[in-house]
Amino acid sequence: MLLRHTPETLVERSALTVNPAKTCQPVGAMYAALGIHKCMPHSHGSQGCCAYHRSALTRHYKDPIMATTSSFTEGASVFGGQANILEAFANIFNLYDPDIVAVHTTCLSETIGDDLPQIINKAITENKIPPGKTVIAASTPSFKGSHITGYSNMVSAMIKYFARNTGKKNGCVNLIPTFIEPSDMAEIKHIAESMGAKYIMFPDTSDVVNGPMDGKFRMYPKGGATKEEIASSGDSILTIGLGRTGTLEPAKLLDTHCKVPAEIIDLPIGITATDEFVDLIRKTAGVSVPEEILLERGQLVDVLCDMNQYTYGKKASLVGDPDILVGLVRLCREAGMEILHVVSGTKAGPKFERKIKELAGEKTIVKTGAQADMFYFHQLVKNDKPDLILGNTYCKYIARDMDIPLVRTGFPIYDRVGHSYFPIVGYRGGLRLLEKILDALMDRIDRDASEEKVELVM
Amino acid sequence: MSEVEMMTPGEVFKAEVLEKYPPKLAKKRGRQIVVNEAAGGEVPEILANSRTAPGILTMRGCSYAGCKGVVLGPTRDVLQITHGPIGCGFYSWLTRRNQTKPHTAEAVNFMPYAMSTDLQEDEIIFGGEKKLKAAIDEAIALFHPKAIGIFSTCPVGLIGDDVHAVAREMEAKYPDVNIFGFSCEGYKGVSQSAGHHVANNKVFTDVVGLDDTPKQGKFRFNILGEYNIGGDAFEIERIVGKCGMTLHSTFSGNSTYEEFISAHTVDLNTVMCHRSINYLAEMMEKKYGIPWFKINFIGADSTAKSLRKIAEFFGDGELTKRTEEAIAEEMEKVEAVRKEIYERCKGKKAMLFVGGSRAHHYQDLLGEIGIETIAAGYEFAHRDDYEGRKVLPSIVVDADSRNIEELTVTADEKRYQPRISEAEKAKREKEGFAFSDYDGMMKQMKDKTLVIDDLNHYETEKLIEMYKPDLVCAGIKEKYVVQKQGVPMKQLHSYDYQGPYAGFEGAINFYKEIDRIVNSNAFRLAKAPWADSPELSASYGYTG
Ligand code: SF4
Ligand code: SF4
C-alpha cells in the first residue's frame, strides 16, 4: 500500500495541500512560449524554478525543452533582478540567437516586485536588445492560479505584444487552444485545414516538443506560430477559444485590444464537443463539412456503438485540468459511463461546476481549488470505488493501491509515451481515447474472468 | 607548425568556446574549463561553486532541491512540508526516485506524499506563518509523524516567515514530535550545494544524537551520501551484510528517523558522495569522535577496495577473512560478464557531467569495460571535489557561500569518545591509511582530458560536435539534446529508471546497460540512408 496513510474519513483541511492536482504558473507559461516559432522562454527568478520546469516538461515530452533563467542569487533577491535580466539578454541573443525571448516571472521576482515591462522598455531604449528581436513578458506568480493560469497569461502576453488591428480583415479565424498536447494542437489544425478554413493558431507546440530524431539538434524546431501570424490575429474575423479556463482571458484581450469577437467553446473531446467546434468553423468560415471529417466522425460513432456494452454504466473518477476534464466527462457520458468524481487543483469557478453537473448529473462530486488535491481525490475514491480512473501519472499510486484501471490523461504523464504523438481531441482523438478506455476496461474483464468465462471474441 | 596545430584538442575546444563569450564571461569560463594535467600529483586550479551567468542554459538547480530533494527526500518517516507556493513541492514529488523499503505493510512511509502550504497571494502579502502552523496541525492530526521537516522556498525567505520560530512553537505544542525547519530558499548559494549544507547542519543539530541505543550487530558504520537511487543502498547493504558488517544508517537512502537519531553510536562513518555530505562527517567526528573516510561503491573494483578498507579499519581477522571470501565470490560473477562486455565496449569514449560525485565515481565503472572518459565535470561541486581536500584552506569564501550558516562544533561532553586513539590513527596514517581525505576527481583523470565545471548547453553542443563521443552521461534536461544528435545518453541522476548500479550486482547491471546503449542499433537509425548522398539527377520512372 503505497498510500497507506490516506484515511477513508474525509476531514476538512484549510492549510495543508497533499499531493497537489495542479502545479505552478511558469511551467504553463514556458510551454506556451515554446509554441512560438524561434522563441526562447526565459524564467525570471532563481535557477531552481527554471530547472524544475524544464525537467517537468522534459519528462513529460521526452524532448529537449530549452529555457533560460535570470539565475538570481541572494543579491538579486534583495536588490531586484534588473541587472540579472539585462545580462541574461546579452547572453541569450549572443549565444542562442532567438527571434523572440518570452519572459515569465516566478514567485520570487513577483514577491520582490520586479517591473518587467519597465525593465524591458529600459533595455530597448538602451539598445540592449538587438534590432529585429523582440522580448515579451508575462506575469506568472504561482501564489495565484496554477499552470493553466500561467499558460493563459503567456498567451495573453503574445496578444498584448504582437496582435495588431490594421483595419484590414484577413478572413481568418483565430484558434487558441488551452494547455493541451502538441498532438492535440496538430489535430485541431487538421480539422480546420481539411475544412478549408483560413486560420491562425497560437500557441502551436506541434513539431516543437514532439520533434523527430535525425541526428541533429535544433534549438528552434520548425514548428510554432510565427510572430507575423500572431500579429495578424488582430485582423481575424473571430477568435475561437478551445477550453474556457485556458483561453477566456487571452480571447477577451484580443477582443478589447483589436476588436476581434470571441467564442469560447469546450475543448473538442468526444463527439458532441467536436461537432460544436466543426459547426462553428463551418459557420464562421462559410465552408461545408468535407467527406474526410464525416468519415472520421462516423468511425468514432461506429466504435462507440459497437462497444457500448463495455462502457455503459461503468463508473469513472476524474482528476486533472478543468478544460480537459470537461471534454473527458463529455466523452465518458457519450459512452454511457457514470461520473463519480471530478477534481481539479486549478480553481475553475461555479460555471465549471455547473457545467460538469449538467453533463454528469447532480450526484457527481465536483471540487476545484486549494484543497482539491489528489489526497482528497483518493479519499473520495475510497468511499465510492469507480471502475476507472482518468488522470495523470501520479494517479498510478491510487490505481495500484485500489486495484482500479487507470487511463493516463492530462499533465504530467511521466511513465508512458504516445500523448505527444496521438491526440485525444477531435474525432480521431476521440477514437484513441475510447480505445484506451476500452483496453483498460476489457483487460480488466479478461484478467478477472473465471476460466470458463474467458471469451475469445469480445 | 602553426600554434593551433600544436594545441591539444582540449585546448582547441577551450579556445573556440571562449571566443564566443563576452570578455568578462570568457575570463570566468576560462577558469572553469581546465585541461587536466596531474604532473607530479599536482593538478591545476579550477574555479568552482561560483555563480552561473544569467541567461546561460545551465544544468543547475537550487538549494531547495539540494536540501529537500537530495538530502532529506529519501527518509521515509520524516514528514516533509514544503512551505511556499505549490510548484516547488510538486516538482520534488517522487521525481528523484529514492527507493525505500518499510519493514511491514503498515510501517510508516510518507514518500509518496507531497505536502505543501500552497501559499496564496494574501499569505505572500501578510505572511504565511499562520498557514504553516495550521498545516502542521492538520498534518499531525492526519499522519501522526515522529518528525516534521519544514522546507523554505524563495518567496518565504523574502516575506520573512521564520520557519524556525514556527518549528519551536509547534514543537512546544506537540512535545512528541520533533519539528525542525530548513532555510533552504532557492536563491541561497549558487546551486543545489548550498541546500546540502543547510540540510546537513540541521540534521546534525536537531536529529543526530537524540538516542544512544546502538543497532544490534558487529562492526557498525554509516554510509553518508548514498541516496539509494535505483536501489543502490539495498545492494550495498546486501554486500556489507555478507561480509559480516552492520550498516547502521544510510544518509539518506532507504533511511529512517530512528537510524538517524542513533547514528552517532557507530564506530565509523564512510562517505560516498563527498560533495553533498562531507559537512556531516566532519561535524560528527568533532562532536562524537567518529572517524571518517571516503569510499566508493560504484564499480566492482572500487567496491572491493572500499570493503577492504572498511574491514581493515576494524582490524578483525575473522572480518577480513569473510570480506575476502565475499569479494572473491562476487567478483567471479562480475568477471564473467565484464570480460565479454569489455570486448564490445573497449576503446569507446564517454563524457560525464553530473551533479556531484557521480562524474568521478562512474569513471571507474566505465573503465572496467574499457571506456575512457575524455571530459567530465560537476554541476555543483566545490574546488575540493576536483582538486582534493588539501586545497580546502585556500578556498576563498564568497558572498554566496557566506550566507549559509557555518556551525561551530565542539566535543560532546558526554558522548565524545575517540573511536581510535590519536597515536593509533597517526600510526595507520603513516602506513598509508587515509582518514578524512579525498583526492578529488582530477587526480584520477588522464592528462589532457577536459575538466569543466558548471557545463552549459552551448558547451555541451560544442563538445559533442568536436569529440563525437560514444556515450554522454548527464541529467534529464540534457538527455534529449544529446540524443537528438544520435549520441546515446545515460542519465546518472535517475539511472533512466534502472539500477542498482552500486556494488557487484550493480556493476553487472551497468556493464549490460552500457553495452546495450553503445551498441544499440536504434541509434544508428537516426540518419536516413539518403541523408548524406547528393540529390540524384537520374529518373528511374517509366519513361516510355
Ligand atoms: S518558487 Fe514559484 S515559480 Fe518557482 S517552482 Fe516554486 S511555485 Fe514554481
Ligand atoms: S552523487 Fe550526484 S546525484 Fe548524487 S547527490 Fe551526489 S551529486 Fe547528487
Side-chain angles (χ1 to χ4, degrees), chain B residues 25-43:
Chain B
L25 181 58
K27 198 168 153 220
K28 189 172 179 189
R29 289 305 294 156
R31 295 170 60 206
Q32 293 174 295
I33 303 174
V34 168
V35 180
N36 198 35
E37 198 105 42
E42 288 303 310
V43 293

PDB file of all heavy atoms in Angstrom, chain B residues 25-43:
ATOM      1  N   LEU B  25      32.690  37.133 -19.241  1.00  0.00           N
ATOM      2  CA  LEU B  25      32.258  35.743 -19.112  1.00  0.00           C
ATOM      3  C   LEU B  25      33.369  34.805 -19.586  1.00  0.00           C
ATOM      4  O   LEU B  25      33.619  33.757 -18.983  1.00  0.00           O
ATOM      5  CB  LEU B  25      30.967  35.520 -19.910  1.00  0.00           C
ATOM      6  CG  LEU B  25      30.359  34.125 -19.873  1.00  0.00           C
ATOM      7  CD1 LEU B  25      30.057  33.701 -18.452  1.00  0.00           C
ATOM      8  CD2 LEU B  25      29.070  34.072 -20.703  1.00  0.00           C
ATOM      9  N   ALA B  26      34.033  35.191 -20.658  1.00  0.00           N
ATOM     10  CA  ALA B  26      35.112  34.361 -21.203  1.00  0.00           C
ATOM     11  C   ALA B  26      36.199  34.178 -20.147  1.00  0.00           C
ATOM     12  O   ALA B  26      36.733  33.082 -19.965  1.00  0.00           O
ATOM     13  CB  ALA B  26      35.694  34.996 -22.453  1.00  0.00           C
ATOM     14  N   LYS B  27      36.484  35.220 -19.429  1.00  0.00           N
ATOM     15  CA  LYS B  27      37.525  35.157 -18.413  1.00  0.00           C
ATOM     16  C   LYS B  27      37.130  34.148 -17.321  1.00  0.00           C
ATOM     17  O   LYS B  27      37.917  33.319 -16.882  1.00  0.00           O
ATOM     18  CB  LYS B  27      37.713  36.549 -17.811  1.00  0.00           C
ATOM     19  CG  LYS B  27      39.015  36.688 -17.084  1.00  0.00           C
ATOM     20  CD  LYS B  27      39.343  38.127 -16.746  1.00  0.00           C
ATOM     21  CE  LYS B  27      40.234  38.132 -15.522  1.00  0.00           C
ATOM     22  NZ  LYS B  27      39.929  39.179 -14.575  1.00  0.00           N
ATOM     23  N   LYS B  28      35.864  34.248 -16.921  1.00  0.00           N
ATOM     24  CA  LYS B  28      35.381  33.359 -15.879  1.00  0.00           C
ATOM     25  C   LYS B  28      35.346  31.902 -16.362  1.00  0.00           C
ATOM     26  O   LYS B  28      35.861  31.005 -15.687  1.00  0.00           O
ATOM     27  CB  LYS B  28      33.983  33.811 -15.467  1.00  0.00           C
ATOM     28  CG  LYS B  28      33.470  33.095 -14.257  1.00  0.00           C
ATOM     29  CD  LYS B  28      32.185  33.717 -13.779  1.00  0.00           C
ATOM     30  CE  LYS B  28      31.669  32.979 -12.576  1.00  0.00           C
ATOM     31  NZ  LYS B  28      30.322  33.425 -12.219  1.00  0.00           N
ATOM     32  N   ARG B  29      34.758  31.699 -17.517  1.00  0.00           N
ATOM     33  CA  ARG B  29      34.684  30.326 -18.037  1.00  0.00           C
ATOM     34  C   ARG B  29      36.084  29.772 -18.278  1.00  0.00           C
ATOM     35  O   ARG B  29      36.314  28.574 -18.156  1.00  0.00           O
ATOM     36  CB  ARG B  29      33.856  30.273 -19.332  1.00  0.00           C
ATOM     37  CG  ARG B  29      32.355  30.483 -19.190  1.00  0.00           C
ATOM     38  CD  ARG B  29      31.677  29.555 -18.225  1.00  0.00           C
ATOM     39  NE  ARG B  29      31.673  28.147 -18.604  1.00  0.00           N
ATOM     40  CZ  ARG B  29      31.548  27.142 -17.734  1.00  0.00           C
ATOM     41  NH1 ARG B  29      31.436  27.375 -16.445  1.00  0.00           N
ATOM     42  NH2 ARG B  29      31.544  25.888 -18.160  1.00  0.00           N
ATOM     43  N   GLY B  30      36.989  30.650 -18.620  1.00  0.00           N
ATOM     44  CA  GLY B  30      38.373  30.232 -18.826  1.00  0.00           C
ATOM     45  C   GLY B  30      38.950  29.576 -17.588  1.00  0.00           C
ATOM     46  O   GLY B  30      39.796  28.676 -17.675  1.00  0.00           O
ATOM     47  N   ARG B  31      38.484  29.999 -16.439  1.00  0.00           N
ATOM     48  CA  ARG B  31      38.975  29.391 -15.192  1.00  0.00           C
ATOM     49  C   ARG B  31      38.159  28.164 -14.797  1.00  0.00           C
ATOM     50  O   ARG B  31      38.521  27.444 -13.875  1.00  0.00           O
ATOM     51  CB  ARG B  31      38.946  30.432 -14.066  1.00  0.00           C
ATOM     52  CG  ARG B  31      39.917  31.597 -14.325  1.00  0.00           C
ATOM     53  CD  ARG B  31      39.694  32.719 -13.329  1.00  0.00           C
ATOM     54  NE  ARG B  31      39.902  32.262 -11.964  1.00  0.00           N
ATOM     55  CZ  ARG B  31      39.325  32.822 -10.895  1.00  0.00           C
ATOM     56  NH1 ARG B  31      38.502  33.851 -11.040  1.00  0.00           N
ATOM     57  NH2 ARG B  31      39.567  32.365  -9.688  1.00  0.00           N
ATOM     58  N   GLN B  32      37.018  27.969 -15.463  1.00  0.00           N
ATOM     59  CA  GLN B  32      36.171  26.808 -15.128  1.00  0.00           C
ATOM     60  C   GLN B  32      36.359  25.652 -16.111  1.00  0.00           C
ATOM     61  O   GLN B  32      35.861  24.564 -15.890  1.00  0.00           O
ATOM     62  CB  GLN B  32      34.696  27.241 -15.102  1.00  0.00           C
ATOM     63  CG  GLN B  32      34.388  28.206 -13.955  1.00  0.00           C
ATOM     64  CD  GLN B  32      32.972  28.749 -14.032  1.00  0.00           C
ATOM     65  OE1 GLN B  32      32.620  29.465 -14.963  1.00  0.00           O
ATOM     66  NE2 GLN B  32      32.155  28.406 -13.058  1.00  0.00           N
ATOM     67  N   ILE B  33      37.025  25.954 -17.220  1.00  0.00           N
ATOM     68  CA  ILE B  33      37.326  24.905 -18.195  1.00  0.00           C
ATOM     69  C   ILE B  33      38.828  24.648 -18.115  1.00  0.00           C
ATOM     70  O   ILE B  33      39.625  25.541 -18.400  1.00  0.00           O
ATOM     71  CB  ILE B  33      36.944  25.349 -19.618  1.00  0.00           C
ATOM     72  CG1 ILE B  33      35.465  25.740 -19.677  1.00  0.00           C
ATOM     73  CG2 ILE B  33      37.252  24.248 -20.620  1.00  0.00           C
ATOM     74  CD1 ILE B  33      35.023  26.327 -21.009  1.00  0.00           C
ATOM     75  N   VAL B  34      39.177  23.444 -17.704  1.00  0.00           N
ATOM     76  CA  VAL B  34      40.582  23.169 -17.440  1.00  0.00           C
ATOM     77  C   VAL B  34      41.017  21.931 -18.209  1.00  0.00           C
ATOM     78  O   VAL B  34      40.320  20.918 -18.229  1.00  0.00           O
ATOM     79  CB  VAL B  34      40.789  22.945 -15.920  1.00  0.00           C
ATOM     80  CG1 VAL B  34      42.161  22.373 -15.639  1.00  0.00           C
ATOM     81  CG2 VAL B  34      40.592  24.253 -15.169  1.00  0.00           C
ATOM     82  N   VAL B  35      42.167  22.035 -18.867  1.00  0.00           N
ATOM     83  CA  VAL B  35      42.748  20.844 -19.481  1.00  0.00           C
ATOM     84  C   VAL B  35      43.585  20.172 -18.403  1.00  0.00           C
ATOM     85  O   VAL B  35      44.521  20.758 -17.886  1.00  0.00           O
ATOM     86  CB  VAL B  35      43.610  21.216 -20.703  1.00  0.00           C
ATOM     87  CG1 VAL B  35      44.205  19.960 -21.323  1.00  0.00           C
ATOM     88  CG2 VAL B  35      42.771  21.969 -21.730  1.00  0.00           C
ATOM     89  N   ASN B  36      43.219  18.961 -18.074  1.00  0.00           N
ATOM     90  CA  ASN B  36      43.815  18.304 -16.901  1.00  0.00           C
ATOM     91  C   ASN B  36      45.285  17.966 -17.105  1.00  0.00           C
ATOM     92  O   ASN B  36      45.715  17.632 -18.197  1.00  0.00           O
ATOM     93  CB  ASN B  36      43.032  17.030 -16.569  1.00  0.00           C
ATOM     94  CG  ASN B  36      43.297  16.542 -15.169  1.00  0.00           C
ATOM     95  OD1 ASN B  36      43.496  17.351 -14.260  1.00  0.00           O
ATOM     96  ND2 ASN B  36      43.321  15.242 -14.980  1.00  0.00           N
ATOM     97  N   GLU B  37      45.998  18.085 -16.046  1.00  0.00           N
ATOM     98  CA  GLU B  37      47.426  17.796 -16.066  1.00  0.00           C
ATOM     99  C   GLU B  37      47.776  17.429 -14.635  1.00  0.00           C
ATOM    100  O   GLU B  37      47.709  18.286 -13.762  1.00  0.00           O
ATOM    101  CB  GLU B  37      48.179  19.061 -16.465  1.00  0.00           C
ATOM    102  CG  GLU B  37      49.583  18.823 -16.945  1.00  0.00           C
ATOM    103  CD  GLU B  37      49.660  18.970 -18.452  1.00  0.00           C
ATOM    104  OE1 GLU B  37      49.058  19.899 -18.992  1.00  0.00           O
ATOM    105  OE2 GLU B  37      50.308  18.123 -19.076  1.00  0.00           O
ATOM    106  N   ALA B  38      48.070  16.187 -14.377  1.00  0.00           N
ATOM    107  CA  ALA B  38      48.345  15.802 -12.992  1.00  0.00           C
ATOM    108  C   ALA B  38      49.832  15.612 -12.767  1.00  0.00           C
ATOM    109  O   ALA B  38      50.277  14.652 -12.159  1.00  0.00           O
ATOM    110  CB  ALA B  38      47.574  14.547 -12.625  1.00  0.00           C
ATOM    111  N   ALA B  39      50.596  16.573 -13.263  1.00  0.00           N
ATOM    112  CA  ALA B  39      52.045  16.455 -13.189  1.00  0.00           C
ATOM    113  C   ALA B  39      52.512  16.387 -11.740  1.00  0.00           C
ATOM    114  O   ALA B  39      52.202  17.266 -10.948  1.00  0.00           O
ATOM    115  CB  ALA B  39      52.698  17.643 -13.890  1.00  0.00           C
ATOM    116  N   GLY B  40      53.237  15.356 -11.417  1.00  0.00           N
ATOM    117  CA  GLY B  40      53.776  15.192 -10.065  1.00  0.00           C
ATOM    118  C   GLY B  40      52.687  15.187  -9.004  1.00  0.00           C
ATOM    119  O   GLY B  40      52.912  15.598  -7.882  1.00  0.00           O
ATOM    120  N   GLY B  41      51.509  14.745  -9.399  1.00  0.00           N
ATOM    121  CA  GLY B  41      50.416  14.679  -8.437  1.00  0.00           C
ATOM    122  C   GLY B  41      49.750  16.029  -8.207  1.00  0.00           C
ATOM    123  O   GLY B  41      48.768  16.133  -7.489  1.00  0.00           O
ATOM    124  N   GLU B  42      50.262  17.078  -8.820  1.00  0.00           N
ATOM    125  CA  GLU B  42      49.656  18.407  -8.652  1.00  0.00           C
ATOM    126  C   GLU B  42      48.715  18.673  -9.810  1.00  0.00           C
ATOM    127  O   GLU B  42      49.106  18.598 -10.969  1.00  0.00           O
ATOM    128  CB  GLU B  42      50.752  19.480  -8.634  1.00  0.00           C
ATOM    129  CG  GLU B  42      51.594  19.491  -7.373  1.00  0.00           C
ATOM    130  CD  GLU B  42      50.769  19.670  -6.110  1.00  0.00           C
ATOM    131  OE1 GLU B  42      49.940  20.596  -6.057  1.00  0.00           O
ATOM    132  OE2 GLU B  42      50.934  18.853  -5.178  1.00  0.00           O
ATOM    133  N   VAL B  43      47.473  18.987  -9.472  1.00  0.00           N
ATOM    134  CA  VAL B  43      46.520  19.275 -10.542  1.00  0.00           C
ATOM    135  C   VAL B  43      46.334  20.784 -10.644  1.00  0.00           C
ATOM    136  O   VAL B  43      46.538  21.500  -9.673  1.00  0.00           O
ATOM    137  CB  VAL B  43      45.165  18.578 -10.290  1.00  0.00           C
ATOM    138  CG1 VAL B  43      45.307  17.079 -10.382  1.00  0.00           C
ATOM    139  CG2 VAL B  43      44.571  18.984  -8.950  1.00  0.00           C
TER     140      VAL B  43
END
